[in-house]
Amino acid sequence: MPKAIHFTKGSIIYFEGDKDDRIFILQTGVVILTSTDLENHTPVTENIRKGEFFGVKSALGHFPREETATVLAESTAIVMTVSEFEQVFSSNKQLIMKMLRVFSNQLRKIHKQTEEILNKDKVRVNQESGLFSVAQTFFSDNDFKPCCDICIKFLTMYPNSASRGQVAKLYTSAKARLDREKQLNKNTEPVVIDEGDSKPLQIFSMPSFSRFAKTFEPGSVIIAEFEPGESFYLIQSGVVQLVKCVNGVKKNLDMLHPGEFFGEMAILDNTPRSATCLAYTKVTVLEFNKENFAQLITGNPQIALILLKLFCKRIYDQRRRFRILVMPEPQIRIADVFLMYDEMNPVSNPAERKRTFYITVQDIANWTAMPVEQVQDELNRMAEKRRIEMFTDHMVVFNIVDMERLVEGVMQMHQ
């Protein structure tokens, strides 16, 4: 059962980096949360007001604490475990929706910071010209199926645009090349991609959800960067790739698997899409819009709690990837990519220092926002020092602890 605990002035409720499943509600006193800004390494503080929750995100997501909770004046807080939180608040739609909006704002902030780093030299564009530029980027990269899909979206959304003729011409050219590709590859065996855990969330497997199901063929655009957001999606099967187009170059943001969701911020705010989401394999999703989402939550309060947990995971993942982008040195960025892959794929024997990661030079270039040629040069230097060995479809890190030391050394310099 949840219980009230008294904390003396100056005590620490939990430290940044701690792992536990406690969730707190401040009843009396003063508590502040202190963390470090990933980009400029300055301290960030947040005052907790009476009646507010804290420690929710890391507890629900089962991730290390992102901040230190310090007691500035004698305080009392209600303390509960994750299971107790679920029992007490899973049916409180108003509270869960409030938390979803708070976490949505946090996720939007991380997306904005990431976009600012990727777009340092990019002039801001409006939605119409932005959507056109995304189509052009896919065409330049010989990705003709996404280019066609985005052109169709553009012509549907902006039938009277001054750029209509250019977009129609781009579509015609992309469609002709796509048709030639299909003819050349008609006898080619499809590539099988590991989807990870293919079991969708059980609650979304009920027959009542079948009316929300949509299927997309490989290469199809599910949502396009710059288009208005009206729906969000939960993946039932397949792999979805999140892509950002920056200065005419595609940047991979993430690969999502069954049980994960995307486009969720459209439900909670009215901003344009911040990335393009592609069907990397054949994909089946559940599509929810703002109207049926409200009905969904009302009839199934547990779903809001599930989405809250998924938000926690998404925020943690995006912060982790943002950390890579703000690393000051190219080789440190690459080392942190290896660490991220190690965290995502835990081994059965952590004492074993050698790691094999199925990652390519292009993958690392995407994660680090560095040119492929620069990444290749840095990897060659690592290989010369016998830190790694490179193969066509994978890389071997001989000592993952050395990578940790490289990254931690830089991080400590900035603390």
Side-chain angles (χ1 to χ4, degrees):
M1 288 292 293
K3 56 185 177 181
I5 295 182
H6 181 75
F7 296 95
T8 59
K9 179 181 178 180
S11 61
I12 303 294
I13 299 176
Y14 57 78
F15 285 95
E16 181 178 355
D18 285 354
K19 268 191 167 184
D20 65 54
D21 70 345
R22 294 179 299 165
I23 295 173
F24 304 84
I25 309 174
L26 184 63
Q27 283 195 309
T28 63
V30 181
V31 172
I32 64 165
L33 306 181
T34 307
S35 58
T36 302
D37 185 276
L38 291 175
E39 187 170 9
N40 54 37
H41 308 287
T42 56
V44 177
T45 59
E46 177 188 356
N47 291 314
I48 301 300
R49 292 178 292 186
K50 295 176 183 177
E52 286 188 336
F53 288 79
F54 60 101
V56 177
K57 195 163 63 221
S58 53
L60 289 181
H62 302 292
F63 301 120
R65 300 289 194 188
E66 295 177 351
E67 70 286 320
T68 297
T70 305
V71 180
L72 295 189
E74 288 198 14
S75 303
T76 301
I78 299 295
V79 183
M80 65 188 77
T81 64
V82 169
S83 59
E84 289 169 345
F85 173 84
E86 293 177 2
Q87 292 172 9
V88 174
F89 295 104
S90 61
S91 60
N92 190 331
K93 187 186 81 169
Q94 185 176 1
L95 174 66
I96 299 298
M97 289 299 293
K98 180 181 178 181
M99 287 187 174
L100 280 173
R101 289 190 174 89
V102 170
F103 290 170
S104 173
N105 289 334
Q106 293 180 11
L107 191 55
R108 177 68 67 182
K109 181 180 178 182
I110 298 170
H111 277 303
K112 185 177 179 181
Q113 289 176 309
T114 301
E115 187 172 352
E116 287 174 351
I117 287 179
L118 294 175
N119 296 353
K120 281 184 178 179
D121 302 318
K122 185 177 180 181
V123 178
R124 290 188 178 276
V125 296
N126 60 35
Q127 288 177 250
E128 183 177 332
S129 59
L131 192 61
F132 187 15
S133 70
V134 172
Q136 291 173 311
T137 298
F138 277 99
F139 184 88
S140 299
D141 207 41
N142 297 322
D143 273 359
F144 302 119
K145 171 60 174 162
C147 177
C148 289
D149 289 352
I150 294 170
C151 286
I152 292 172
K153 285 178 178 286
F154 184 101
L155 295 171
T156 302
M157 290 168 53
Y158 306 109
N160 301 317
S161 169
S163 302
R164 177 181 175 82
Q166 292 175 278
V167 176
K169 184 177 178 180
L170 181 65
Y171 171 80
T172 301
S173 181
K175 183 67 166 60
R177 298 193 187 195
L178 178 63
D179 290 342
R180 284 200 297 271
E181 278 188 353
K182 288 180 178 178
Q183 186 64 28
L184 290 171
N185 299 328
K186 63 180 181 179
N187 296 321
T188 304
E189 290 293 327
V191 177
V192 178
I193 304 294
D194 180 12
E195 298 182 5
D197 183 5
S198 61
K199 295 180 181 178
L201 298 174
Q202 291 299 315
I203 193 169
F204 293 105
S205 300
M206 296 186 297
S208 58
F209 289 103
S210 61
R211 68 185 188 276
F212 300 117
K214 280 192 172 184
T215 299
F216 295 87
E217 294 300 318
S220 299
V221 173
I222 303 173
I223 60 177
E225 185 179 355
F226 291 106
E227 73 173 326
E230 298 176 350
S231 303
F232 86 105
Y233 304 83
L234 185 133
I235 305 170
Q236 286 196 305
S237 66
V239 179
V240 173
Q241 181 181 22
L242 272 60
V243 173
K244 184 86 177 170
C245 293
V246 182
N247 297 327
V249 178
K250 293 187 318 184
K251 302 286 186 181
N252 181 60
L253 296 181
D254 209 347
M255 302 293 283
L256 304 181
H257 299 83
E260 296 188 277
F261 66 103
F262 57 96
E264 69 285 344
M265 287 181 283
I267 297 297
L268 303 167
D269 58 39
N270 296 311
T271 53
R273 301 295 194 184
S274 59
T276 298
C277 299
L278 303 167
Y280 194 68
T281 63
K282 186 174 182 179
V283 170
T284 300
V285 298
L286 298 180
E287 181 184 56
F288 302 107
N289 59 36
K290 292 182 180 180
E291 289 73 25
N292 61 33
F293 177 72
Q295 297 172 7
L296 190 69
I297 298 303
T298 301
N300 304 273
Q302 281 289 330
I303 291 177
L305 188 61
I306 291 171
L307 291 176
L308 195 63
K309 292 180 180 180
L310 291 174
F311 258 104
C312 294
K313 181 180 185 301
R314 178 65 62 80
I315 291 170
Y316 179 84
D317 289 346
Q318 290 300 317
R319 279 180 57 85
R320 182 64 186 86
R321 283 152 190 153
F322 180 73
R323 192 182 89 172
I324 293 171
L325 293 177
V326 298
M327 286 291 174
E329 301 170 22
Q331 200 163 110
I332 303 303
R333 285 193 190 185
I334 294 171
D336 207 23
V337 171
F338 288 130
L339 294 185
M340 182 185 72
Y341 268 69
D342 192 47
E343 294 161 11
M344 292 165 57
N345 304 281
V347 296
S348 56
N349 180 17
E352 172 60 48
R353 297 188 174 190
K354 189 176 181 179
R355 299 284 193 275
T356 298
F357 301 118
Y358 286 88
I359 185 173
T360 65
V361 176
Q362 182 64 61
D363 292 331
I364 295 177
N366 289 335
W367 292 124
T368 59
M370 292 161 49
V372 172
E373 296 78 11
Q374 184 182 10
V375 171
Q376 185 68 68
D377 289 343
E378 295 295 340
L379 289 171
N380 289 340
R381 293 188 185 97
M382 286 183 164
E384 289 171 2
K385 296 179 180 178
R386 296 296 296 165
R387 285 178 171 164
I388 66 168
E389 188 173 7
M390 291 182 286
F391 298 89
T392 303
D393 63 343
H394 69 280
M395 299 185 192
V396 175
V397 174
F398 291 113
N399 190 337
I400 196 68
V401 176
D402 281 348
M403 296 294 174
E404 291 177 359
R405 292 191 186 115
L406 282 172
V407 174
E408 288 175 1
V410 170
M411 293 180 67
Q412 289 173 1
M413 287 174 56
H414 292 282
Q415 289 179 351

